[in-house]
Amino acid sequence: MRTPKELVAAMTLEEKCSLLSGLDFWHTKPVERLGIPSVMVSDGPHGLRKQDDKADHLGVNDSIKAVCFPAACATTASFDRGVVRRLGEAMGDQCQHEQVAVNLGPAINIKRSPLCGRNFEYMSEDPYLAGEMATSLIQGTQSKNIGTSVKHFAANDQEHRRMSSDSVIDERTLREIYLPAFEAAAKKGKAWTFMCSYNKVNGEYASQNRWLLNDLLRDEWGYEGYVMSDWGAVSDRVKGVHAGLDLEMPASGGQRDKLVMQAVLDGKLDEKDVDLCVERMLTIHQKYWDNAKPETPWDMEADHELAAKLAADCLVLLKNEDGILPLKKEEKVALIGEFAAKPRFQGGGSSHINSFKVTSLKDALADNANVCYAQGYTIAGEAVDEVLEAEAVAAAKAADKVVVVAGLPDSFESEGYDRTHMRMPANQNALIEKIAAVNPNVIVLLYNGSPVEMPWIGCVKGLIEGYLAGQNVGNANKAVLYGEVNPSARLPETMPIRLEDTPCYLTYGGEGNTAIYTEGIYVGYRWYETKKQPVLFPFGYGLSYTTFSYSNLRLGAECVKDTDTLAVCVDVTNTGKVAGKEVVQLYVHDRESKVFRPIRELKGFDKVELQPGETKTVQFTLDKRSFAYWNTQIHDWHVETGVFDIEICRNAHEVILSAPVTVESTVELPRCYTPDSIILDIMDDPKAMQAIKPLMDQLAQTFGGGENSEAASEAVSDEMTKAMIGYMPLRSLMSFGPMGLDQLDGIVAALNAK
Ligand code: BGC
């Protein structure tokens, strides 16, 4: 086959324009004359939603039978790059088998609020964690020569008015919170495709936002793949082509292709823009065509087992009072809750998988005669069913321990709309409290895609965040409950106490079509920790059936430049009696800064497996980005010279070991003093200070220094003098101080001199 460039050169304008939109819901168009085949794309990313005939983007119509792996809320909790990579590889094989060229995921928008209806599909509130996990998932799938589509680019953090809402975000917040995961997916993950979001980003639809799709993604990040639209996200297609939106999905009956063609003919759009889009798409599709392996086997039973294995590493043990877990086979256990028999193991909408088989916890425990089951509540509504409740209470009374499986039914969270509260159904909350009143040994196992309020937390001894663990949820749950697998996951998001505590409680969802991100960079733990806001469980929290100790934190240097890297090592020991995996978390704390900074930010994590008594050294490499903030003056990452603490933490709240390092900036920020610059800012800048030293000496005399200072001192404190002088603009030295108008310009020029 000819190269993409040659193919583009051989095409008519009409043929090229025709390739700018889909053939139908899931395919790109072929150009038979030139032997260009069509390719298929399908949702994902935690299973294959391949629709053979009836197509839709909401998961309404059935897709082929497939395997549903744990959703991203769960897999990210593993904090294990290997887990998501393995998931990605499995998806790659399935796509090869089914001849799907691109799996539409991962979805990596930041969990700005627990209310977002799609949080179950998203990875984290932390951009570093989301970027790392996304990269591994992408690499896993693409190692099989199947593309991924990183979505939804960008700032699609709510479902409310998702197709019209404008995410209004200041430059620094965008760069530090909402873009880095995408940046990692582009630069490190090298995702074959990106999917633009429905919403606007700062006033322009993502689908036609040239800053986003071209200047940032291509020019700055060096991205070489192509961008497709989210399904139905296109508004102005001509603008979109110029902006760098290569493919419109799904088909628009060729209508918008004609608009593009006309724009080229009218001289309103450069044909080169069209050529670029087509060439980028063909380049990616060729990677698939050249490596298609439809003969790849798909052993669904094996993947069902894999789904359980991966899910077991994603369950977060949140509470284990008196070592109530793991359960012992001989203990009499009451298993309670409709979810135990009819699990919610995935979210609703476009990622919905048609599972070929589902194993519930009740199924998985069927061969254990010491386990009895009672439904307890109904998923269908919130009303207490007294008969079911009484049965469950009776079962609980007769048991040694009780496992209540509870959580959010589908109607409580889904793609398409946001939650309005963080509560679980009232009947489930009531049941847990009733059961805890008759049996002190209660363990709650949650199935949910996003945090919930837990009014009963004080009366249960055990708690497992089970998330949406995929179709083999039962075996994964059983493995952790009975200690066959030692839980090792950590929360990839904060569990707040109440909705009112969350960072964007006051403004989430926006007004009309405008969603202003008023909380800025204070998202997730950056908010709770900096504000010292108590939470139920902090980001990064999770327990194990063993214990770990940390020692010997060492840094490669005491002082580095921002162009250097810094090696960090720490020893971790399993101090308990069983083997286990520990997630080692590294955060950076800037001791002093002129800009607002969160108290700590995650900059490294690793998961290590340790036998009892075993010690391993975990190593991290930090670089400029680990210390930098986004500086809006130079529009670049910048490190302020100063001392930073390298904190090894158990979670975002608990620092175990800490060591300081001095980082020196090699970048001098441009000076731009004006007559309005205030003395305080000049005083902060040693070089500038030199330039106005004589003036300052005179000023000090005038305010406080002089002969009559004794009389003045009663009314004027040092603090006040400092403040009065500090907040004075240079120009006011003409009124209060020693300077004449003729001097002002000269001083400003001297201040700005290099
Ligand atoms: C969703 C995407 C999905 C697409 C195709 C859209 O509604 O936002 O995540 O990939 O549909 O189903």
Side-chain angles (χ1 to χ4, degrees):
M1 202 186 208
R2 287 184 261 192
T3 66
K5 225 184 203 48
E6 288 164 353
L7 286 169
V8 171
M11 270 185 240
T12 63
L13 177 62
E14 191 176 0
E15 281 168 338
K16 287 188 285 193
C17 290
S18 78
L19 290 185
L20 298 177
S21 69
L23 171 72
D24 54 27
F25 224 78
W26 300 116
H27 294 86
T28 62
K29 292 200 196 91
V31 180
E32 269 145 29
R33 183 177 75 83
L34 296 168
I36 299 175
S38 120
V39 303
M40 181 169 202
V41 302
S42 279
D43 280 309
H46 53 260
L48 189 56
R49 188 172 75 95
K50 182 182 177 194
Q51 287 185 317
D52 271 340
D53 40 24
K54 282 189 221 115
D56 71 273
H57 65 302
L58 296 172
V60 178
N61 293 302
D62 266 359
S63 44
I64 60 163
K65 289 280 180 205
V67 180
C68 179
F69 292 104
C73 56
T75 50
T76 313
S78 72
F79 273 72
D80 188 338
R81 295 172 180 88
V83 162
V84 280
R85 185 176 167 106
R86 186 68 196 89
L87 165 63
E89 288 167 356
M91 290 311 307
D93 282 338
Q94 294 180 9
C95 288
Q96 280 289 5
H97 177 87
E98 285 295 326
Q99 301 184 53
V100 169
V102 178
N103 190 225
L104 303 176
I108 60 174
N109 297 95
I110 291 297
K111 301 186 192 213
R112 181 180 169 224
S113 162
L115 296 183
C116 176
R118 282 185 101 166
N119 274 0
F120 72 88
E121 266 183 275
Y122 295 153
M123 291 185 146
S124 181
E125 66 187 25
D126 181 79
Y128 175 75
L129 176 61
E132 287 295 299
M133 298 300 264
T135 297
S136 295
L137 183 70
I138 292 163
Q139 288 170 344
T141 301
Q142 293 185 177
S143 72
K144 304 289 179 173
N145 291 304
I146 293 296
T148 52
S149 196
V150 175
K151 63 193 188 180
H152 310 89
F153 188 54
N156 183 178
D157 310 294
Q158 64 185 56
E159 287 300 278
H160 180 63
R161 292 178 179 251
R162 67 171 175 164
M163 298 182 86
S164 57
S165 173
D166 182 7
S167 299
V168 180
I169 312 178
D170 68 85
E171 179 185 338
R172 184 175 164 207
T173 300
L174 246 185
R175 291 291 189 152
E176 290 188 21
I177 306 294
Y178 295 98
L179 292 175
F182 290 101
E183 186 180 355
K187 287 183 180 168
K188 259 172 79 175
K190 299 199 185 307
W192 284 13
T193 84
F194 261 52
M195 186 191 292
C196 79
S197 56
Y198 283 128
N199 51 284
K200 293 179 180 171
V201 180
N202 287 332
E204 183 66 284
Y205 281 113
S207 62
Q208 58 200 49
N209 194 320
R210 190 169 161 89
W211 173 77
L212 190 69
L213 304 185
N214 187 72
D215 304 358
L216 179 73
L217 181 63
R218 265 96 181 207
D219 290 352
E220 199 183 310
W221 294 349
Y223 180 64
E224 287 178 350
Y226 77 83
V227 183
M228 68 178 82
S229 73
D230 198 346
W231 268 233
V234 167
S235 172
D236 183 331
R237 185 66 185 113
V238 176
K239 242 181 155 181
V241 171
H242 179 61
L245 177 72
D246 305 296
L247 175 65
E248 175 196 356
M249 285 304 281
S252 59
Q255 298 174 79
R256 291 204 181 90
D257 305 340
K258 289 201 184 96
L259 294 178
V260 174
M261 187 162 153
Q262 198 55 51
V264 173
L265 294 175
D266 295 346
K268 290 182 183 147
L269 179 71
D270 194 333
E271 190 169 346
K272 285 202 192 101
D273 286 337
V274 175
D275 291 357
L276 254 180
C277 290
V278 176
E279 193 185 325
R280 285 191 291 236
M281 268 188 280
L282 294 181
T283 305
I284 291 297
H285 291 163
Q286 200 162 49
K287 289 203 215 188
Y288 170 70
W289 297 322
D290 290 352
N291 298 287
K293 287 198 188 70
E295 68 282 4
T296 305
W298 183 1
D299 180 344
M300 287 206 196
E301 285 294 345
D303 279 351
H304 186 67
E305 293 311 309
L306 177 64
K309 189 171 174 297
L310 297 180
D313 277 340
C314 303
L315 304 181
V316 195
L317 178 64
L318 291 176
K319 196 170 178 187
N320 196 13
E321 243 174 65
D322 305 334
I324 189 166
L325 288 171
L327 303 172
K328 295 177 194 69
K329 286 239 162 64
E330 59 282 7
E331 283 168 342
K332 277 182 72 188
V333 172
L335 176 65
I336 290 171
E338 191 170 10
F339 274 146
K342 289 190 199 147
R344 175 151 179 266
F345 58 88
Q346 64 172 328
S350 61
S351 67
H352 199 270
I353 307 304
N354 184 6
S355 297
F356 87 93
K357 171 177 182 176
V358 177
T359 305
S360 70
L361 181 55
K362 183 167 173 263
D363 297 336
L365 294 175
D367 60 358
N368 185 338
N370 289 325
V371 176
C372 72
Y373 172 73
Q375 185 182 325
Y377 62 83
T378 160
I379 304 167
E382 288 205 60
V384 171
D385 180 320
E386 278 167 16
V387 177
L388 292 181
E389 198 179 81
E391 265 170 30
V393 169
K397 258 191 197 158
D400 299 325
K401 292 179 180 173
V402 189
V403 175
V404 184
V405 187
L408 297 178
D410 272 315
S411 61
F412 274 58
E413 60 175 348
S414 165
E415 177 177 342
Y417 58 91
D418 294 322
R419 292 194 289 168
T420 52
H421 61 78
M422 253 174 51
R423 293 187 297 278
M424 283 181 17
N427 52 353
Q428 295 189 34
N429 281 335
L431 179 71
I432 295 171
E433 284 182 8
K434 284 245 163 74
I435 284 177
V438 299
N439 190 323
N441 297 319
V442 179
I443 297 131
V444 172
L445 168 58
L446 289 175
Y447 293 170
N448 50 323
S450 210
V452 291
E453 288 169 10
M454 304 181 198
W456 35 258
I457 187 70
C459 57
V460 303
K461 281 192 184 165
L463 175 65
I464 296 176
E465 176 50 78
Y467 281 120
L468 303 177
Q471 67 179 46
N472 204 347
V473 50
N475 279 311
N477 288 174
K478 176 186 155 203
V480 166
L481 283 169
Y482 282 87
E484 294 150 24
V485 169
N486 190 347
S488 63
R490 304 287 181 263
L491 291 176
E493 64 197 321
T494 310
M495 295 276 163
I497 298 173
R498 317 172 301 163
L499 180 63
E500 290 82 347
D501 298 339
T502 61
C504 53
Y505 169 67
L506 295 174
T507 57
Y508 185 67
E511 273 175 344
N513 279 330
T514 307
I516 305 181
Y517 286 40
T518 47
E519 70 287 358
I521 55 171
Y522 294 102
V523 175
Y525 69 87
R526 287 168 169 76
W527 162 263
Y528 302 104
E529 289 306 312
T530 312
K531 192 172 173 279
K532 298 191 171 41
Q533 172 78 53
V535 298
L536 259 183
F537 300 101
F539 173 89
Y541 188 86
L543 306 170
S544 163
Y545 294 151
T546 186
T547 47
F548 301 95
S549 76
Y550 287 73
S551 60
N552 215 4
L553 170 62
R554 51 267 178 224
L555 310 188
E558 283 170 11
C559 185
V560 290
K561 292 207 165 59
D562 63 3
T563 42
D564 298 336
T565 56
L566 175 71
V568 179
C569 290
V570 66
D571 295 344
V572 191
T573 305
N574 181 344
T575 48
K577 293 197 177 63
V578 288
K581 293 182 195 160
E582 171 71 329
V583 177
V584 183
Q585 302 171 40
L586 185 156
Y587 296 75
V588 173
H589 162 71
D590 188 356
R591 280 203 191 165
E592 213 182 311
S593 174
K594 283 188 202 139
V595 297
F596 296 124
R597 295 208 69 170
I599 193 140
R600 66 179 56 90
E601 295 181 273
L602 184 75
K603 298 295 170 183
F605 65 90
D606 203 0
K607 198 166 196 178
V608 274
E609 183 160 16
L610 295 163
Q611 297 304 314
E614 193 186 1
T615 299
K616 275 186 187 161
T617 301
V618 177
Q619 182 159 355
F620 301 96
T621 305
L622 303 181
D623 61 12
K624 178 173 178 178
R625 278 292 281 275
S626 314
F627 302 97
Y629 71 94
W630 181 263
N631 182 297
T632 53
Q633 189 190 358
I634 54 170
H635 307 291
D636 200 354
W637 297 98
H638 182 67
V639 178
E640 257 182 329
T641 297
V643 182
F644 293 79
D645 293 306
I646 307 303
E647 301 178 329
I648 299 296
C649 298
R650 223 175 270 287
N651 52 65
H653 185 67
E654 224 181 309
V655 181
I656 309 166
L657 294 171
S658 166
V661 61
T662 301
V663 187
E664 264 175 44
S665 173
T666 54
V667 177
E668 208 174 311
L669 293 177
R671 298 209 180 84
C672 41
Y673 294 109
T674 70
D676 291 327
S677 299
I678 65 168
I679 306 286
L680 186 72
D681 291 339
I682 299 168
M683 282 163 62
D684 259 0
D685 175 346
K687 284 191 190 149
M689 215 19 214
Q690 283 295 318
I692 59 160
K693 176 118 190 1
L695 259 183
M696 292 303 293
D697 292 344
Q698 274 180 289
L699 248 190
Q701 285 285 319
T702 317
F703 282 83
E707 266 111 61
N708 53 355
S709 62
E710 226 165 88
S713 65
E714 279 172 27
V716 183
S717 67
D718 271 5
E719 272 309 297
M720 183 175 164
T721 311
K722 259 197 236 153
M724 297 273 281
I725 298 179
Y727 299 153
M728 252 183 215
L730 275 175
R731 57 174 157 70
S732 66
L733 297 186
M734 280 166 50
S735 323
F736 304 120
M739 190 173 60
L741 182 56
D742 48 337
Q743 276 176 289
L744 186 59
D745 288 347
I747 286 176
V748 171
L751 285 175
N752 287 326
K754 290 236 161 174

